[in-house]
Amino acid sequence: MSEATLDQTTTTNAQPKAARFAVFGTSFLLGLVLPVTAGLLYEAAFRAGLVQARLLPPPSRVFTTLWKLAQSGELTTHVLATTVRVGMGFGLGALVGMLLGALTGASRNARRLLDPTLQALRAIPSLAWVPLFILWLGIFESSKIALIAVGVFFPVYLGVMAAIANVDRKIVEVGRVFRLSRLALVRRVLLPAILPDFIIAIRSGLGLGFMFVVAAEIMGASEGLGYLLVDGQQLGKPDQILAAIIAFAVLGKIGDWLIVVLTKPFLTWQDTHQRGA
Amino acid sequence: MLTIDALCKIYPNGTQALEKISLDVDAGEIVALVGGSGCGKTTLLRMISGLEAPTRGHAALDGEVIDAPHPAVGIVFQEARLLPWLTVAQNIAFGLDHLPKDEQDRRVDEALLRVGLAGYGKRWPRELSGGQAQRVSIVRALVTQPKALLLDEPFSALDALTRESLQDHLLALWETHRPTLVLVTHDVEEAVALADRAIVLQPKPGRIFADIPIDLPRPRDRLSPEFAEAKRLVLKALDGSINQPHSHQAGRVQSPAAGGSF
Ligand SMILES: Nc1ncnc2c1ncn2[C@@H]1O[C@H](COP(=O)(O)OP(=O)(O)OP(=O)(O)O)[C@@H](O)[C@H]1O
Ligand SMILES: [Mg+2]
């Protein structure tokens, strides 16, 4: 309560940046130990002539292929195509999922009306839509984006609905006591309350978006990382397949990381057991 | 004036929580509601706050029936219920949205100062102790300057020392605008330290068992014989209310101090 305690707590909170970065660096390096060691061992085995590397090329060859693709500008084209598809499908799916999730979460009547249908649709394996989407929307971009949007929609919808329905009554009552209008209640109480769950929902949505972009691009595309996969298979170039897989991994990780970093400033209030970890 | 008129509450599951509660509380009066667990204290407070509707009867403030949360009626819950995504200052200003920013800041700063939390405005609720959080929650309700403030066991989760200091804080806050206070408490000492009247409730169904005026001058000396006598009277009524739960006879006990307000 005194000034002294106040100061003390403030300084402990402001952990030195360098120290935090060192901790982050260590854990990052630790995570690299396993894949790097495995890669080096395989590379060594290959150089020593111990393995026949026709079907599983060594890391050096995969990275050379990746480098060549990058230099020729092809990689940029493919990455860009995939990113645009995921971006549009994700944007569409997440937006609709968010709106419907908010509606069914906040209104019991809306839930009774919409949720059974949506749950039934969810039971359909999403890839089963592919033929229909192609019939309706053609083989080009629209059908791919639609498929990705469907994949992203469900985790976002479910996450938002559950989060809104589970907001603590006690917190909502605070809003009611201060006589917030319905809209103000959503804006000032419900939305901030569900933010952590919402972020988890869109992260899993983005994960599914990447899953479905592969499916969409495998089913027929002239560019995109999924096209690189198919092309590598047809031409018997496992190094190109692995290069595309690595590019997918990096792209997915960057997308996820962007969500985390962009939303972090809004979550500093959180009181969780792993704060700052 | 706060009027409660023949108020009954039967919950949807059939529990009769309150039966015909009638009570008048003068403007600026401090009333303590005491009674055993489950006798309907929280229920009564929720009806007065407009958070829940009575089955029959009504509560009214200055003649205006309360059927929804009312701008002039504030409530402090047993838990602080601060919004974790707002800073302390933003929490206090939560009900001040209609005021200009500088007026909001002025009231928030003054409130923090009054409860000994100056400099805590930028903290997150998770960085407060239980007692500090409860102080913030009390001033959050008071900065809107309600005519009546309802408090549901606001200090029950705190240790005796903190509780006593928060009781003093509450009285000091009450001094400024003198709102009507309705304070639910388990603690007879708290009732006698703060209230002008102790209302003892009786359970199953909840109704008023005794209405005990406490005419002690403020500031009250907790060690004085008059204080002890008032405590004894309230305790005795409380015992009575718990030991004869099926009597429908509401008792009436005389004021411990002579020359009371009757
Ligand atoms: N939402 C509810 N639905 C059904 N019955 C309820 C509900 N809330 C409370 N009750 C019942 O109403 C009665 C009064 O409850 P209430 O919470 O008002 O008691 P209380 O006096 O505040 O008790 P405590 O001192 O333990 O807080 C109890 O018998 C309780 O079981
Ligand atoms: Mg209670």
Side-chain angles (χ1 to χ4, degrees):
Chain A
M1 257 184 268
S2 68
E3 287 302 315
T5 26
L6 178 64
D7 284 341
Q8 224 173 29
T9 347
T10 330
T11 36
T12 16
N13 268 351
Q15 206 185 81
K17 235 192 171 109
R20 252 187 306 173
F21 191 75
V23 171
F24 170 77
T26 322
S27 72
F28 181 71
L29 288 179
L30 206 59
L32 282 181
V33 168
L34 211 57
V36 168
T37 315
L40 288 177
L41 282 179
Y42 188 69
E43 184 77 39
F46 166 75
R47 298 266 157 114
L50 294 178
V51 284
Q52 243 286 353
R54 200 177 58 80
L55 289 180
L56 183 54
S60 58
R61 197 180 291 168
V62 174
F63 282 107
T64 315
T65 310
L66 201 58
W67 180 241
K68 274 190 200 142
L69 283 170
Q71 276 200 321
S72 68
E74 269 180 90
L75 189 65
T76 321
T77 318
H78 296 305
V79 165
L80 214 62
T82 299
T83 309
V84 168
R85 282 176 193 138
V86 174
M88 289 174 68
F90 172 75
L92 193 66
L95 188 72
V96 179
M98 200 166 74
L99 292 177
L100 286 183
L103 193 64
T104 51
S107 147
R108 194 189 304 199
N109 284 333
R111 180 154 66 242
R112 287 195 189 135
L113 182 71
L114 296 171
D115 193 53
T117 311
L118 290 170
Q119 295 296 346
L121 289 176
R122 190 170 79 96
I124 301 170
S126 307
L127 293 181
W129 293 110
V130 168
L132 207 55
F133 283 169
I134 292 180
L135 263 184
W136 287 346
L137 302 168
I139 188 79
F140 299 111
E141 291 309 294
S142 317
S143 61
K144 293 188 177 59
I145 289 168
L147 181 66
I148 297 166
V150 167
V152 173
F153 169 81
F154 284 108
V156 173
Y157 167 74
L158 285 180
V160 171
M161 176 174 70
I164 290 204
N166 289 335
V167 173
D168 193 355
R169 170 187 60 85
K170 294 180 170 174
I171 290 278
V172 176
E173 270 178 8
V174 173
R176 289 183 54 210
V177 164
F178 286 102
R179 301 180 317 123
L180 298 190
S181 66
R182 228 184 143 75
L183 201 68
L185 192 71
V186 170
R187 187 174 61 80
R188 297 181 65 194
V189 178
L190 294 180
L191 285 184
I194 69 159
L195 192 62
D197 291 333
F198 173 68
I199 290 165
I200 293 174
I202 61 169
R203 282 175 73 184
S204 45
L206 186 64
L208 273 147
F210 272 103
M211 209 163 113
F212 281 92
V213 81
V214 178
E217 290 179 345
I218 283 182
M219 81 199 189
S222 53
E223 51 186 30
L225 291 173
Y227 161 79
L228 272 188
L229 291 174
V230 182
D231 188 57
Q233 180 213 335
Q234 284 167 352
L235 300 182
K237 294 194 286 190
D239 49 336
Q240 182 179 317
I241 298 180
L242 285 169
I245 287 177
I246 290 174
F248 262 126
V250 171
L251 207 57
K253 186 69 201 162
I254 291 177
D256 189 60
W257 175 80
L258 272 180
I259 296 181
V260 172
V261 166
L262 291 179
T263 53
K264 200 165 180 164
F266 302 101
L267 289 180
T268 40
W269 53 269
Q270 263 192 314
D271 192 8
T272 48
H273 74 114
Q274 279 207 330
R275 275 186 53 75
Chain B
M1 188 168 86
L2 187 65
T3 337
I4 296 158
D5 187 18
L7 196 135
C8 302
K9 177 66 182 182
I10 302 171
Y11 278 109
N13 68 0
T15 311
Q16 176 154 30
L18 296 174
E19 181 178 89
K20 284 212 172 162
I21 301 264
S22 293
L23 180 69
D24 288 343
V25 185
D26 287 334
E29 197 180 7
I30 304 181
V31 163
L33 292 176
V34 291
S37 183
C39 67
K41 305 181 293 291
T42 298
T43 304
L44 181 56
L45 229 52
R46 290 175 64 83
M47 308 284 124
I48 306 175
S49 73
L51 280 174
E52 225 161 312
T55 311
R56 278 187 296 279
H58 63 260
L61 184 70
D62 297 333
E64 195 185 329
V65 172
I66 296 168
D67 48 12
H70 189 284
V73 181
I75 184 165
V76 174
F77 300 96
Q78 184 166 357
E79 332 77 40
R81 297 199 190 181
L82 302 180
L83 303 180
W85 55 86
L86 298 181
T87 62
V88 166
Q90 289 167 332
N91 263 290
I92 297 176
F94 191 75
L96 299 178
D97 224 28
H98 55 286
L99 295 178
K101 187 78 182 84
D102 50 336
E103 172 66 9
Q104 288 185 24
D105 291 346
R106 201 188 57 72
R107 288 206 198 176
V108 168
D109 288 343
E110 193 203 312
L112 283 171
L113 196 65
R114 287 199 150 272
V115 289
L117 291 175
Y120 279 61
K122 289 203 169 67
R123 287 206 183 191
W124 298 111
R126 67 174 151 83
E127 297 167 324
L128 299 181
S129 73
Q132 294 168 342
Q134 197 53 286
R135 272 182 274 171
V136 173
S137 130
I138 292 174
V139 292
R140 174 179 66 184
L142 276 172
V143 285
T144 61
Q145 297 170 358
K147 283 191 204 158
L149 181 65
L150 317 170
L151 304 105
D152 190 1
E153 303 190 36
F155 311 134
S156 63
L158 308 171
D159 66 273
L161 265 179
T162 316
R163 201 181 309 161
E164 207 168 302
S165 103
L166 289 213
Q167 288 161 3
D168 295 341
H169 274 300
L170 179 63
L171 268 187
L173 289 169
W174 169 79
E175 290 283 354
T176 45
H177 294 280
R178 297 222 167 206
T180 307
L181 296 188
V182 180
L183 169 79
V184 167
T185 176
H186 267 132
D187 179 0
V188 173
E189 162 125 3
E190 181 167 289
V192 175
L194 297 177
D196 299 309
R197 255 158 91 200
I199 311 286
V200 181
L201 294 179
Q202 181 180 13
K204 286 182 186 171
R207 60 223 122 104
I208 295 177
F209 178 76
D211 185 338
I212 306 168
I214 302 166
D215 280 324
L216 302 175
R218 293 194 177 91
R220 291 179 180 172
D221 175 5
R222 290 175 197 246
L223 300 176
S224 71
E226 293 81 10
F227 195 92
E229 174 61 13
K231 253 171 84 174
R232 198 186 61 78
L233 272 176
V234 177
L235 259 177
K236 202 173 133 210
L238 197 57
D239 273 347
S241 78
I242 290 166
N243 291 332
Q244 34 175 298
H246 296 292
S247 146
H248 278 249
Q249 211 65 36
R252 232 177 152 79
V253 186
Q254 253 314 316
S255 160
S261 55
F262 271 22

